[in-house]
Coordinates of all heavy atoms in Angstrom, one line a residue:
V149 N -6.6 -10.4 11.5 CA -5.3 -9.7 11.6 C -5.4 -9.0 12.9 O -6.4 -8.4 13.3 CB -5.1 -8.8 10.4 CG1 -3.9 -7.9 10.7 CG2 -5.0 -9.5 9.1
D150 N -4.2 -9.0 13.6 CA -4.0 -8.2 14.8 C -2.6 -7.7 14.8 O -1.7 -8.4 14.4 CB -4.2 -9.1 16.0 CG -4.0 -8.4 17.3 OD1 -4.6 -7.3 17.5 OD2 -3.2 -8.9 18.2
A151 N -2.4 -6.4 15.2 CA -1.1 -5.8 15.3 C -0.9 -5.2 16.6 O -1.8 -4.4 17.1 CB -1.0 -4.8 14.1
T152 N 0.2 -5.4 17.3 CA 0.5 -4.8 18.6 C 1.9 -4.2 18.6 O 2.8 -4.8 18.0 CB 0.4 -5.9 19.7 OG1 1.2 -7.0 19.4 CG2 -1.1 -6.3 20.0
A153 N 2.0 -3.1 19.2 CA 3.3 -2.4 19.2 C 4.0 -2.7 20.5 O 3.4 -3.1 21.5 CB 3.0 -0.9 19.1
E154 N 5.3 -2.5 20.5 CA 6.1 -2.9 21.7 C 6.0 -1.8 22.8 O 6.4 -2.0 23.9 CB 7.5 -3.1 21.3 CG 8.3 -1.9 20.8 CD 9.7 -2.2 20.3 OE1 10.0 -3.4 20.1 OE2 10.5 -1.3 20.2
C155 N 5.5 -0.6 22.4 CA 5.4 0.5 23.5 C 4.2 1.4 23.1 O 3.7 1.3 22.0 CB 6.7 1.3 23.6 SG 7.0 2.3 22.2
G156 N 3.8 2.2 24.0 CA 2.7 3.1 23.8 C 2.9 4.3 22.9 O 2.0 5.0 22.5
C157 N 4.2 4.5 22.5 CA 4.5 5.6 21.6 C 4.3 5.2 20.1 O 4.4 6.1 19.3 CB 5.9 6.1 21.8 SG 7.2 4.8 21.5
T158 N 4.0 4.0 19.9 CA 3.8 3.5 18.5 C 2.4 2.9 18.4 O 2.0 2.1 19.2 CB 4.8 2.4 18.2 OG1 6.1 2.9 18.5 CG2 4.8 2.0 16.8
T159 N 1.6 3.3 17.4 CA 0.2 2.9 17.2 C 0.0 2.3 15.9 O 0.1 3.0 14.9 CB -0.7 4.1 17.4 OG1 -0.4 4.7 18.6 CG2 -2.2 3.6 17.4
P160 N -0.3 1.0 15.8 CA -0.6 0.4 14.5 C -2.1 0.4 14.3 O -3.0 0.3 15.2 CB -0.2 -1.1 14.7 CG -0.3 -1.4 16.2 CD -0.1 0.0 16.9
E161 N -2.5 0.7 13.0 CA -3.9 0.7 12.6 C -4.0 -0.4 11.5 O -3.2 -0.4 10.6 CB -4.3 2.0 12.0 CG -4.3 3.1 13.0 CD -4.7 4.5 12.3 OE1 -5.6 4.5 11.5 OE2 -4.0 5.5 12.7
Y162 N -4.9 -1.3 11.6 CA -5.0 -2.5 10.7 C -6.5 -2.7 10.4 O -7.4 -2.3 11.1 CB -4.4 -3.7 11.3 CG -4.9 -4.0 12.7 CD1 -5.9 -4.9 12.9 CD2 -4.3 -3.5 13.8 CE1 -6.4 -5.2 14.1 CE2 -4.8 -3.7 15.1 CZ -5.8 -4.6 15.3 OH -6.3 -4.9 16.5
P163 N -6.7 -3.5 9.3 CA -8.1 -3.8 8.8 C -8.8 -4.7 9.9 O -8.2 -5.6 10.4 CB -7.9 -4.5 7.5 CG -6.5 -4.4 7.1 CD -5.7 -4.0 8.3
T164 N -10.0 -4.4 10.1 CA -10.8 -5.2 11.1 C -11.6 -6.3 10.3 O -12.0 -7.3 10.9 CB -11.8 -4.3 11.9 OG1 -12.6 -3.6 11.0 CG2 -11.0 -3.4 12.8
A165 N -11.8 -6.0 9.0 CA -12.6 -7.0 8.2 C -11.6 -8.1 7.7 O -10.4 -7.8 7.6 CB -13.2 -6.3 7.0
P166 N -12.1 -9.3 7.5 CA -11.2 -10.3 7.0 C -10.6 -10.0 5.7 O -11.2 -9.3 4.9 CB -12.1 -11.5 6.9 CG -13.3 -11.3 7.7 CD -13.4 -9.8 7.8
I167 N -9.3 -10.4 5.5 CA -8.6 -10.2 4.2 C -8.7 -11.6 3.5 O -8.1 -12.6 4.0 CB -7.2 -9.8 4.4 CG1 -7.2 -8.4 5.2 CG2 -6.5 -9.6 3.1 CD1 -5.9 -8.0 5.7
M168 N -9.3 -11.7 2.4 CA -9.5 -12.9 1.7 C -8.2 -13.4 1.1 O -7.3 -12.6 0.8 CB -10.6 -12.8 0.6 CG -11.9 -12.3 1.1 SD -12.6 -13.3 2.5 CE -12.9 -14.8 1.8
P169 N -8.1 -14.8 0.9 CA -6.8 -15.3 0.3 C -6.5 -14.7 -1.0 O -7.4 -14.4 -1.8 CB -7.2 -16.8 0.1 CG -8.2 -17.1 1.2 CD -9.0 -15.8 1.3
G170 N -5.3 -14.3 -1.2 CA -4.9 -13.6 -2.5 C -5.1 -12.1 -2.5 O -4.6 -11.5 -3.4
K171 N -5.7 -11.6 -1.5 CA -6.0 -10.2 -1.4 C -5.0 -9.5 -0.5 O -4.2 -10.2 0.3 CB -7.4 -9.9 -0.9 CG -8.5 -10.4 -1.8 CD -8.4 -9.8 -3.2 CE -9.5 -10.3 -4.1 NZ -9.5 -9.8 -5.4
K172 N -5.0 -8.2 -0.4 CA -4.0 -7.5 0.4 C -4.7 -6.5 1.4 O -5.8 -6.1 1.2 CB -3.1 -6.6 -0.4 CG -2.2 -7.5 -1.4 CD -1.3 -6.6 -2.2 CE -0.4 -7.4 -3.1 NZ 0.5 -6.6 -3.9
G173 N -4.0 -6.2 2.5 CA -4.5 -5.2 3.4 C -3.3 -4.4 3.8 O -2.2 -4.7 3.5
K174 N -3.6 -3.2 4.4 CA -2.5 -2.3 4.8 C -2.5 -2.1 6.3 O -3.6 -2.1 7.0 CB -2.7 -0.9 4.2 CG -2.5 -0.9 2.7 CD -2.6 0.5 2.1 CE -2.4 0.5 0.6 NZ -2.4 1.8 0.1
I175 N -1.3 -2.0 6.9 CA -1.2 -1.7 8.3 C -0.4 -0.3 8.3 O 0.7 -0.2 7.7 CB -0.4 -2.8 9.0 CG1 -1.2 -4.1 9.0 CG2 -0.1 -2.3 10.4 CD1 -0.5 -5.3 9.5
K176 N -1.0 0.6 9.0 CA -0.4 1.9 9.2 C 0.2 2.0 10.6 O -0.5 1.7 11.5 CB -1.4 3.0 8.9 CG -0.9 4.4 9.1 CD -2.0 5.5 9.0 CE -1.6 6.8 9.3 NZ -2.6 7.8 9.1
V177 N 1.4 2.4 10.7 CA 2.1 2.5 12.0 C 2.5 4.0 12.2 O 3.1 4.6 11.4 CB 3.3 1.6 12.1 CG1 4.0 1.8 13.5 CG2 2.9 0.2 11.8
T178 N 2.0 4.6 13.3 CA 2.3 5.9 13.7 C 3.2 6.0 14.9 O 2.9 5.3 15.9 CB 1.0 6.7 13.9 OG1 0.2 6.6 12.8 CG2 1.3 8.2 14.2
Y179 N 4.2 6.8 14.9 CA 5.1 7.0 16.1 C 4.9 8.4 16.6 O 4.9 9.4 15.9 CB 6.6 6.8 15.6 CG 7.6 7.1 16.7 CD1 7.7 6.3 17.8 CD2 8.4 8.2 16.6 CE1 8.7 6.5 18.8 CE2 9.3 8.5 17.6 CZ 9.5 7.7 18.6 OH 10.4 7.9 19.6
N180 N 4.7 8.5 17.9 CA 4.6 9.8 18.6 C 6.0 10.2 19.1 O 6.4 9.7 20.1 CB 3.6 9.7 19.7 CG 3.4 11.0 20.5 OD1 4.1 12.0 20.2 ND2 2.5 11.0 21.4
P181 N 6.6 11.2 18.5 CA 7.9 11.6 18.9 C 8.0 12.6 20.1 O 9.1 13.0 20.5 CB 8.5 12.3 17.6 CG 7.2 12.9 17.0 CD 6.1 12.0 17.3
Y182 N 6.9 13.0 20.6 CA 6.9 14.1 21.6 C 7.8 13.7 22.8 O 7.6 12.6 23.4 CB 5.5 14.3 22.1 CG 5.4 15.4 23.1 CD1 5.5 16.8 22.7 CD2 5.2 15.2 24.5 CE1 5.5 17.8 23.6 CE2 5.2 16.2 25.4 CZ 5.3 17.5 25.0 OH 5.2 18.5 25.9
G183 N 8.8 14.5 23.1 CA 9.7 14.3 24.2 C 10.7 13.2 23.9 O 11.3 12.7 24.9
R184 N 10.9 12.7 22.7 CA 11.8 11.6 22.4 C 12.7 12.0 21.2 O 12.6 11.4 20.1 CB 11.0 10.4 22.0 CG 10.1 9.9 23.1 CD 9.3 8.7 22.6 NE 8.3 8.3 23.5 CZ 7.0 8.7 23.6 NH1 6.6 9.6 22.7 NH2 6.2 8.3 24.5
P185 N 13.6 13.0 21.4 CA 14.5 13.4 20.3 C 15.5 12.3 20.0 O 15.8 11.5 20.9 CB 15.1 14.6 20.8 CG 15.1 14.5 22.3 CD 13.8 13.8 22.6
G186 N 16.0 12.2 18.8 CA 17.1 11.3 18.4 C 16.5 10.1 17.6 O 15.4 10.1 17.2
G187 N 17.3 9.1 17.4 CA 17.0 7.9 16.7 C 16.1 7.0 17.4 O 16.0 6.9 18.6
F188 N 15.3 6.2 16.6 CA 14.4 5.2 17.2 C 14.2 4.1 16.3 O 14.3 4.2 15.1 CB 13.0 5.8 17.6 CG 12.2 6.2 16.4 CD1 11.3 5.3 15.8 CD2 12.3 7.5 15.9 CE1 10.6 5.7 14.7 CE2 11.5 7.9 14.8 CZ 10.7 7.0 14.2
T189 N 14.0 2.9 16.9 CA 13.6 1.7 16.1 C 12.5 1.1 17.0 O 12.7 0.7 18.1 CB 14.7 0.7 16.0 OG1 15.8 1.4 15.3 CG2 14.3 -0.5 15.2
K190 N 11.3 0.9 16.4 CA 10.2 0.3 17.1 C 9.6 -0.9 16.4 O 9.5 -0.9 15.1 CB 9.0 1.4 17.3 CG 9.5 2.6 18.1 CD 9.8 2.2 19.5 CE 10.3 3.4 20.3 NZ 10.7 3.0 21.7
G191 N 9.2 -1.9 17.1 CA 8.7 -3.1 16.5 C 7.2 -3.2 16.7 O 6.6 -2.8 17.6
V192 N 6.6 -3.9 15.7 CA 5.2 -4.2 15.7 C 5.0 -5.7 15.4 O 5.6 -6.1 14.4 CB 4.4 -3.3 14.7 CG1 2.9 -3.7 14.6 CG2 4.5 -1.8 15.0
T193 N 4.3 -6.4 16.2 CA 4.0 -7.8 15.9 C 2.7 -7.9 15.2 O 1.7 -7.4 15.7 CB 4.0 -8.6 17.2 OG1 5.3 -8.4 17.9 CG2 3.8 -10.1 17.0
I194 N 2.6 -8.7 14.1 CA 1.4 -8.9 13.4 C 1.1 -10.4 13.5 O 1.9 -11.2 13.2 CB 1.6 -8.5 11.9 CG1 2.1 -7.0 11.8 CG2 0.4 -8.8 11.1 CD1 2.6 -6.6 10.5
R195 N -0.2 -10.6 13.8 CA -0.7 -12.0 13.9 C -1.9 -12.2 13.0 O -2.7 -11.3 12.8 CB -1.1 -12.3 15.3 CG 0.0 -12.3 16.3 CD -0.5 -12.6 17.7 NE 0.5 -12.6 18.7 CZ 1.0 -11.5 19.3 NH1 0.5 -10.4 19.0 NH2 2.0 -11.6 20.1
S196 N -1.9 -13.4 12.3 CA -3.0 -13.7 11.4 C -3.3 -15.2 11.4 O -2.5 -15.9 12.1 CB -2.7 -13.2 10.0 OG -1.8 -14.1 9.4
N197 N -4.3 -15.6 10.7 CA -4.5 -17.1 10.6 C -3.8 -17.6 9.3 O -4.0 -18.7 8.9 CB -6.0 -17.4 10.6 CG -6.7 -16.8 9.5 OD1 -6.2 -16.0 8.7 ND2 -8.0 -17.1 9.4
G198 N -3.1 -16.7 8.6 CA -2.4 -17.1 7.4 C -1.0 -17.7 7.7 O -0.7 -18.0 8.9
K199 N -0.1 -17.8 6.7 CA 1.2 -18.2 6.9 C 2.2 -17.1 6.5 O 2.0 -16.6 5.4 CB 1.5 -19.5 6.2 CG 0.7 -20.6 6.7 CD 1.1 -21.9 6.1 CE 0.1 -23.0 6.7 NZ 0.5 -24.2 6.8
P200 N 3.1 -16.7 7.3 CA 3.3 -17.1 8.7 C 2.2 -16.6 9.6 O 1.6 -15.5 9.3 CB 4.7 -16.5 9.0 CG 4.8 -15.3 8.2 CD 4.0 -15.6 6.9
R201 N 2.0 -17.2 10.7 CA 0.9 -16.8 11.6 C 1.4 -15.5 12.4 O 0.6 -14.8 12.9 CB 0.6 -17.9 12.6 CG -0.1 -19.1 12.0 CD -0.8 -19.9 13.1 NE -1.6 -20.9 12.5 CZ -2.8 -20.8 12.0 NH1 -3.4 -19.6 12.0 NH2 -3.4 -21.8 11.6
K202 N 2.7 -15.4 12.5 CA 3.2 -14.2 13.3 C 4.4 -13.6 12.5 O 5.2 -14.4 12.0 CB 3.6 -14.7 14.7 CG 4.1 -13.7 15.6 CD 4.3 -14.3 17.0 CE 5.2 -13.5 17.9 NZ 5.4 -14.2 19.1
A203 N 4.4 -12.3 12.4 CA 5.5 -11.6 11.8 C 5.9 -10.4 12.6 O 5.0 -9.9 13.3 CB 5.2 -11.3 10.3
R204 N 7.1 -9.9 12.5 CA 7.5 -8.7 13.2 C 8.1 -7.7 12.2 O 8.9 -8.1 11.3 CB 8.5 -9.1 14.2 CG 8.9 -8.0 15.1 CD 8.9 -8.5 16.5 NE 9.4 -7.5 17.5 CZ 8.7 -6.8 18.3 NH1 7.4 -7.0 18.3 NH2 9.2 -5.9 19.1
I205 N 7.6 -6.5 12.2 CA 8.1 -5.4 11.3 C 8.6 -4.3 12.2 O 8.3 -4.2 13.4 CB 7.0 -4.9 10.4 CG1 5.8 -4.2 11.2 CG2 6.5 -6.0 9.5 CD1 4.9 -3.5 10.3
Y206 N 9.5 -3.5 11.6 CA 10.1 -2.4 12.4 C 10.0 -1.1 11.6 O 10.1 -1.1 10.4 CB 11.6 -2.8 12.6 CG 11.8 -4.0 13.5 CD1 11.9 -5.2 13.0 CD2 11.9 -3.8 14.9 CE1 12.1 -6.3 13.8 CE2 12.1 -4.9 15.7 CZ 12.2 -6.2 15.2 OH 12.3 -7.2 16.0
I207 N 9.9 0.0 12.4 CA 10.0 1.3 11.8 C 11.2 1.9 12.4 O 11.5 1.7 13.6 CB 8.7 2.1 12.0 CG1 8.4 2.3 13.5 CG2 7.5 1.5 11.3 CD1 7.3 3.4 13.7
K208 N 11.9 2.7 11.6 CA 13.1 3.4 12.1 C 13.0 4.9 11.6 O 12.4 5.2 10.6 CB 14.3 2.8 11.5 CG 14.7 1.5 11.9 CD 15.9 1.0 11.1 CE 16.7 0.1 12.0 NZ 18.0 -0.3 11.3
G209 N 13.6 5.7 12.4 CA 13.7 7.1 12.0 C 14.5 7.9 13.0 O 15.1 7.4 14.0
V210 N 14.6 9.2 12.7 CA 15.3 10.1 13.6 C 14.4 11.3 13.8 O 13.9 11.9 12.9 CB 16.7 10.6 12.9 CG1 17.3 11.6 13.8 CG2 17.6 9.4 12.7
V211 N 14.3 11.7 15.1 CA 13.5 12.9 15.5 C 14.4 14.0 15.7 O 15.3 14.0 16.6 CB 12.6 12.6 16.7 CG1 11.9 13.8 17.2 CG2 11.7 11.4 16.5
N212 N 14.3 15.1 14.9 CA 15.1 16.3 15.1 C 14.3 17.3 15.9 O 13.2 17.7 15.6 CB 15.4 16.9 13.7 CG 16.2 16.0 12.9 OD1 17.2 15.4 13.4 ND2 15.9 16.0 11.6
P213 N 14.9 17.6 17.1 CA 14.2 18.6 18.0 C 14.1 20.0 17.3 O 14.9 20.4 16.6 CB 15.0 18.6 19.2 CG 16.4 18.1 18.8 CD 16.2 17.2 17.6
N214 N 12.9 20.6 17.6 CA 12.8 22.0 17.1 C 13.7 22.9 17.8 O 14.0 22.8 19.0 CB 11.3 22.5 17.4 CG 10.3 21.7 16.6 OD1 10.7 21.2 15.5 ND2 9.1 21.6 17.0
K215 N 14.2 23.9 17.1 CA 15.2 24.8 17.7 C 14.5 26.1 18.1 O 13.5 26.5 17.6 CB 16.3 25.1 16.7 CG 17.1 23.9 16.4 CD 18.2 24.3 15.4 CE 19.0 23.0 15.2 NZ 20.1 23.2 14.3

């Protein structure tokens, strides 16, 4: 498994050990909102040797600036 974000403000964390057929793994995606107020949609591409070989997931949110 490999996961890559579309920009440096988004960081995916994924299992480094193989995930056996029929088993599950988790991918954690963190967004750094510093200096980026407002809405956001960020994509992460996931690659594996399973099917499908490539998938794209998105995270969405709104950053409310501190007053």
Side-chain angles (χ1 to χ4, degrees):
V149 174
D150 178 51
T152 52
E154 66 184 21
C155 72
C157 61
T158 308
T159 307
E161 295 176 40
Y162 53 91
T164 55
I167 300 169
M168 303 309 291
K171 300 297 181 181
K172 297 180 180 182
K174 290 185 181 183
I175 296 174
K176 177 182 174 181
V177 180
T178 305
Y179 174 71
N180 179 356
Y182 184 74
R184 298 176 188 91
F188 68 89
T189 301
K190 298 296 177 180
V192 176
T193 302
I194 302 166
R195 292 180 182 83
S196 77
N197 63 352
K199 292 190 185 210
R201 292 201 175 274
K202 184 174 161 182
R204 188 132 171 105
I205 62 170
Y206 295 89
I207 60 169
K208 292 177 150 185
V210 177
V211 177
N212 294 320
N214 292 334
K215 295 182 179 182

